[in-house]
Amino acid sequence: MRFFILSIILFGIALTAKGQISALGGWIRSGQKPVAFASVRLIDSKIGTTSDSLGKYSITNLKPGKHIISFSALGYSPIKKELIIREDETVNLDVDLEESGSAIEEFIVTGTMKEVSRLASPVPVEVYSPAFFRKNPTPSVFDALQNVNGVRPQLNCNICNTGDIHINGLEGPYTMILIDGMPIVSGLSSVYGLSGIPNALIERVEIVKGPASSLYGSEAVGGLINIITKKPQNAPAFSGDVFTTSWGELNTDLGFKFAAGKKAEVLTGINYFKYGNRIDNNKDLFTDVTLQDRISVFQKWNFNRKENRQFSLAARYNYEDRWGGDITWDKAYRGGTERYGESIYTNRWEMLGTYQLPLKESVMFSWSLNDHDQNSVYGNTIYDARQKIAFGQLSWDKKIKAHDLLIGTALRYTMYDDNTPATALLNGLNKADKVWLPGIFIQDEIALAEKHKLLLGMRYDYNSIHGNILTPRFAYKWMLNENNILRLNAGTGFRVVSLFTEEHAALTGSREVVVTEQLKPERSYNANLNFIKRIYFKSGSFIGIDASAWYTHFNNQIIPDYLSNPNQIIYSNLQGYAVSRGLSANFDMTFTNGLKIIAGTSLLEVFSKNEASGKKIRPFLNEKWTGTWGISYKLENLNLGLDYTGNIYGPMLLPRLSNSDPRSGISPVWSLQNIQFTYTGLKKIELYGGVKNLLNWTPGKNEPFLIARSNDPFDKEVQTDAAGNVVPSAANPYALTFDPGYVYAPNQGIRGFLGVRLIIK
């Protein structure tokens, strides 16, 4: 009897326990995109799980009661949800994660020309999503890159604000700019091509630091930046982003898509930027910032084909009217000697496309065309130039057991013409510079074992002027475990130099260009060691570390000599070698309380060594160390986000005209810092505002002047001796000539900004 009663009691307890079993499940997405392998954890216990490849998750055997659940994933801001789970209840909870700016788990194409997971790629590629750039809204991709570690937008002129992109201390011509993998921006158009790409249409930006010529050919000698635009099917139906600043800048980004029948989807983007205030805070009677009127229109078509084969077409048109100079200048003075102004009219169009051939094998044809027409005046010096680039590439992607092969052939044609001696014959007649660059390449990614990958690559190019060029490549990846990855990369790069497309000082007319020999192509040899570590905490917080050490050796480097003669730029191949080496580290920290930190630092050493003198020479405008950061915090109760971003740069050598030039030869440590508040409490609308350049830092506050002899830009009062050397005089005590090249940072001081974003999905 006692045994019978005990059995009934135990059976009842079992039934009660069974009735208390509860469960939680749902989908984790970001917009319409599933978030795979997201972490789901109960804050008050050790219970947790991860989402599958489709973003679905499930937790069973939950105790009834109040729970706080943490959802986090790499590249997304973590969130916490509080809910009460009752007995014997299955709760469905779908979560929408917001991109945080870092994109460690993104799929990439830049490192190997194939779409692979960033962590699976043997080539280290840094990826930045639109959320990263929204932390500090800017009117162009050129300006947006200021918060990327190891990448620095460099202004090269105090008047027209021409600039280039430095990667790991190397000047702009060593950086290749791609749009959707196509070498559509190069030479003359590097900065102009980065202005006017509608930010609303950017899916992500991929950056490779180090030579990539074995895949992309000339100019990918120091690194490359690949701007990936959105696919129409992934873009919102409409997006708008408009902001203005207290200086009077106005930037408008619009994007919208529509279906062109059943077989095509079309994405259109429009960017308009306007700045028209003549501000002269440094009192040199010249504009501190160039005035601009720019419009860009971009359209991309994706066609639906059988078996999901790719077919896309895209085109962009960019027009810009930009000028700087004497604050009393207007277009009536253009090209004359009464008022000094630097005025640039730019007309540029681009087309690109990708077509997957209707074959069983994966064979892709990609092509691009662009035409860049630039009409410029620098005072009374006229620079009228045109550049056309046509590019085509056929590639075959084939997997054979442990081998993942990519075989391809490419052809690039470049035509460059201007009104300078660069394209003139000895008899004075004009002859455009035309270069054919056919090439073939092969790449084999070998799975040596479960955790080991080896990539071998080789490219052969024939330059119609310089002949044969061979660029091998090697990459090795060791995945110690899922949270620790080691990569070793080595390769070569090459670059064919076109002086008048790269040196602004050669165009202003302030210096004569002297070429002492037939210039040879530059060659680089690079090794890069990269380590990625991911640390997860039980609370759902995460820390990611991406560290690299690199060494790049250059032969035949062309270094402009500004010092031998203040009125000349003298070019020749370096009789010796040059080196770029250093260390860098990126830190990505995500906490469940809403705090997000992205920070980076780089230590750089860049120098050239002449065989004759044996001396190391550090280049101008090259910092020895740099740092960047972005700190974000979300106040969920107030629907308010806070972003604090900034950068800091170590001292640089500055291009003085001579020893008698009173300006400093070394820049101070300088930093640009910004703060932004974003309100998300309105449906489909974001309001944002803040302050740029919080410290109100501008160059030259402790200098007698920034622009040499801005009071005499045509050198009318400059006196010279019989040999043509400038001599001191009462009107020119330092024996200087007009020169706007003493610049290392923007002249724009503190300013407020206010904007609104509208997204209709």
Side-chain angles (χ1 to χ4, degrees):
M1 186 66 178
R2 291 179 180 177
F3 177 80
F4 179 76
I5 295 173
L6 181 60
S7 298
I8 292 175
I9 294 172
L10 292 175
F11 182 71
I13 293 174
L15 286 176
T16 304
K18 184 177 180 180
Q20 292 178 344
I21 295 175
S22 302
L24 172 67
W27 300 88
I28 303 177
R29 297 185 177 92
S30 178
Q32 302 298 319
K33 182 175 65 176
V35 179
F37 312 116
S39 173
V40 184
R41 297 180 183 275
L42 271 66
I43 299 297
D44 55 351
S45 73
K46 296 181 180 180
I47 297 175
T49 187
T50 57
S51 60
D52 61 20
S53 59
L54 299 177
K56 187 177 182 180
Y57 75 96
S58 177
I59 299 177
T60 58
N61 298 324
L62 287 178
K63 293 181 180 180
K66 183 178 179 181
H67 294 280
I68 299 177
I69 300 99
S70 166
F71 298 87
S72 62
L74 294 176
Y76 300 89
S77 297
I79 63 173
K80 290 185 287 187
K81 297 288 186 178
E82 183 177 306
L83 73 162
I84 297 175
I85 299 179
R86 298 180 178 85
E87 294 181 2
D88 197 20
E89 180 184 26
T90 298
V91 177
N92 184 77
L93 179 61
D94 296 337
V95 173
D96 188 17
L97 294 183
E98 180 183 352
E99 289 183 345
S100 64
S102 60
I104 293 178
E105 296 287 6
E106 281 280 8
F107 281 81
I108 58 173
V109 295
T110 304
T112 59
M113 279 192 186
K114 302 180 182 185
E115 188 169 78
V116 297
S117 164
R118 183 192 171 202
L119 295 178
S121 171
V123 179
V125 180
E126 295 182 13
V127 186
Y128 297 92
S129 72
F132 176 85
F133 298 113
R134 284 197 297 268
K135 297 175 187 294
N136 178 32
T138 59
S140 70
V141 178
F142 176 79
D143 296 317
L145 292 172
Q146 64 185 272
N147 281 1
V148 176
N149 181 33
V151 178
R152 183 167 65 85
Q154 170 62 50
L155 292 177
N156 294 328
C157 175
N158 259 314
I159 299 175
C160 67
N161 286 175
T162 297
D164 56 34
I165 300 293
H166 290 202
I167 293 183
N168 286 344
L170 297 175
E171 294 186 354
Y174 296 95
T175 300
M176 189 177 202
I177 309 294
L178 310 172
I179 298 179
D180 287 337
M182 294 292 98
I184 207 164
V185 181
S186 58
L188 174 66
S189 58
S190 60
V191 173
Y192 305 101
L194 282 175
S195 300
I197 298 175
N199 291 334
L201 301 187
I202 296 176
E203 178 74 22
R204 63 187 185 273
V205 176
E206 301 180 0
I207 299 175
V208 175
K209 297 174 181 176
S213 291
S214 63
L215 275 186
Y216 295 97
S218 176
E219 292 153 22
V221 65
L224 64 88
I225 299 172
N226 191 4
I227 300 167
I228 309 296
T229 60
K230 290 181 184 293
K231 296 178 181 179
Q233 58 267 34
N234 295 336
F238 176 82
S239 64
D241 190 344
V242 181
F243 76 85
T244 185
T245 73
S246 57
W247 276 48
E249 298 158 293
L250 174 66
N251 186 74
T252 302
D253 264 326
L254 301 176
F256 55 91
K257 70 175 182 180
F258 60 89
K262 296 182 178 180
K263 293 189 176 182
E265 293 176 291
V266 185
L267 178 64
T268 303
I270 301 172
N271 171 259
Y272 177 68
F273 178 75
K274 172 72 174 179
Y275 174 67
N277 283 346
R278 306 183 184 210
I279 296 177
D280 179 26
N281 287 339
N282 59 16
K283 307 301 180 184
D284 61 2
L285 303 181
F286 275 40
T287 55
D288 290 346
V289 179
T290 54
L291 284 68
Q292 299 182 51
D293 200 349
R294 181 181 72 230
I295 187 167
S296 177
V297 180
F298 177 92
Q299 191 167 82
K300 185 174 185 178
W301 289 63
N302 261 26
F303 297 90
N304 301 318
R305 300 176 60 205
K306 293 180 179 180
E307 301 179 8
N308 291 322
R309 290 193 178 99
Q310 296 184 43
F311 182 24
S312 67
L313 296 172
R316 181 171 76 112
Y317 172 74
N318 186 56
Y319 172 79
E320 184 179 57
D321 177 357
R322 179 163 54 99
W323 76 270
D326 191 313
I327 58 174
T328 63
W329 185 93
D330 61 40
K331 292 182 180 180
Y333 299 110
R334 195 174 194 266
T337 59
E338 190 174 344
R339 298 281 191 279
Y340 186 90
E342 296 186 358
S343 170
I344 298 133
Y345 299 149
T346 302
N347 275 286
R348 176 178 175 83
W349 61 262
E350 305 159 350
M351 295 183 68
L352 63 153
T354 300
Y355 180 77
Q356 186 175 355
L357 274 61
L359 303 172
K360 291 184 179 180
E361 301 289 342
S362 178
V363 181
M364 200 79 66
F365 176 68
S366 302
W367 60 274
S368 67
L369 299 169
N370 71 73
D371 186 322
H372 186 100
D373 189 353
Q374 182 173 324
N375 178 283
S376 309
V377 295
Y378 302 91
N380 61 343
T381 300
I382 299 174
Y383 175 64
D384 197 356
R386 191 162 193 178
Q387 179 175 271
K388 298 180 180 180
I389 300 175
F391 176 82
Q393 178 173 280
L394 187 67
S395 60
W396 175 40
D397 187 357
K398 178 68 174 179
K399 292 185 179 180
I400 305 175
K401 295 183 179 179
H403 297 264
D404 192 347
L405 291 166
L406 181 70
I407 302 171
T409 181
L411 175 64
R412 192 196 310 190
Y413 168 77
T414 303
M415 188 285 295
Y416 173 76
D417 195 11
D418 65 23
N419 63 323
T420 75
T423 56
L425 299 174
L426 293 177
N427 59 9
L429 298 177
N430 187 70
K431 182 182 179 181
D433 186 25
K434 300 177 181 179
V435 178
W436 291 90
L437 189 67
I440 57 174
F441 59 89
I442 182 170
Q443 174 182 278
D444 186 8
E445 187 175 327
I446 308 166
L448 300 175
E450 183 181 355
K451 297 183 178 181
H452 299 269
K453 281 187 179 180
L454 177 67
L455 184 145
L456 301 174
M458 180 71 72
R459 183 183 181 106
Y460 165 77
D461 289 277
Y462 178 79
N463 185 281
S464 58
I465 296 177
H466 298 287
N468 304 316
I469 303 174
L470 199 64
T471 49
R473 183 189 200 192
F474 162 87
Y476 168 71
K477 190 195 78 169
W478 177 17
M479 194 166 186
L480 287 76
N481 54 51
E482 62 181 7
N483 295 323
N484 295 275
I485 300 173
L486 185 68
R487 294 184 177 99
L488 175 63
N489 279 243
T492 64
F494 74 96
R495 183 174 75 96
V496 179
V497 179
S498 180
L499 301 179
F500 286 80
T501 65
E502 297 161 354
E503 283 293 339
H504 169 266
L507 311 179
T508 62
S510 60
R511 290 175 181 243
E512 177 189 2
V513 175
V514 177
V515 181
T516 62
E517 61 183 350
Q518 182 67 38
L519 299 175
K520 301 175 183 177
E522 295 188 9
R523 299 296 302 264
S524 70
Y525 306 87
N526 173 271
N528 183 300
L529 183 64
N530 173 256
F531 179 65
I532 288 181
K533 184 173 183 61
R534 304 183 299 177
I535 305 171
Y536 295 93
F537 298 93
K538 293 181 179 180
S539 63
S541 298
F542 163 80
I543 295 178
I545 303 171
D546 186 342
S548 294
W550 75 90
Y551 180 93
T552 306
H553 181 99
F554 293 90
N555 289 338
N556 297 331
Q557 191 176 42
I558 297 172
I559 300 176
D561 178 3
Y562 290 89
L563 300 180
S564 298
N565 188 326
N567 297 314
Q568 294 179 338
I569 307 175
I570 303 172
Y571 291 98
S572 62
N573 283 115
L574 176 66
Q575 300 302 311
Y577 64 90
V579 168
S580 168
R581 60 191 179 193
L583 303 169
S584 70
N586 293 320
F587 302 91
D588 185 353
M589 293 166 275
T590 302
F591 303 95
T592 55
N593 63 359
L595 181 65
K596 172 74 179 178
I597 301 174
I598 300 175
T601 184
S602 296
L603 301 176
L604 314 170
E605 185 180 23
V606 181
F607 65 88
S608 61
K609 189 172 183 179
N610 190 293
E611 289 180 349
S613 64
K615 293 182 179 180
K616 288 184 179 180
I617 301 173
R618 181 182 166 195
F620 291 115
L621 303 175
N622 175 262
E623 68 277 15
K624 286 192 173 183
W625 58 267
T626 180
T628 59
W629 66 86
I631 302 174
S632 303
Y633 186 73
K634 188 72 175 287
L635 299 169
E636 297 286 352
N637 296 336
L638 300 176
N639 296 310
L640 189 66
L642 170 66
D643 295 296
Y644 170 50
T645 58
N647 50 52
I648 186 169
Y649 301 103
M652 310 174 190
L653 291 180
L654 302 178
R656 298 194 306 159
L657 291 179
S658 65
N659 290 331
S660 62
D661 191 332
R663 297 172 295 182
S664 301
I666 299 178
S667 71
V669 175
W670 58 282
S671 174
L672 299 178
Q673 301 177 26
N674 320 285
I675 191 167
Q676 175 183 244
F677 298 91
T678 304
Y679 179 71
T680 57
L682 302 174
K683 190 176 182 180
K684 300 179 182 179
I685 295 177
E686 285 186 359
L687 301 176
Y688 62 92
V691 179
K692 289 181 177 291
N693 196 354
L694 280 167
L695 304 180
N696 195 27
W697 190 91
T698 54
K701 289 183 176 179
N702 297 318
E703 303 293 343
F705 48 82
L706 281 176
I707 300 174
R709 295 193 58 73
S710 61
N711 62 317
D712 182 25
F714 298 101
D715 291 335
K716 295 178 179 179
E717 299 180 10
V718 172
Q719 298 180 15
T720 59
D721 58 19
N725 298 313
V726 180
V727 296
S729 64
N732 186 15
Y734 302 114
L736 303 178
T737 56
F738 172 72
D739 185 55
Y742 184 89
V743 58
Y744 56 96
N747 286 326
Q748 200 169 19
I750 189 171
R751 59 206 181 277
F753 66 96
L754 186 65
V756 59
R757 296 188 186 98
L758 170 64
I759 297 177
I760 301 175
K761 297 182 179 180

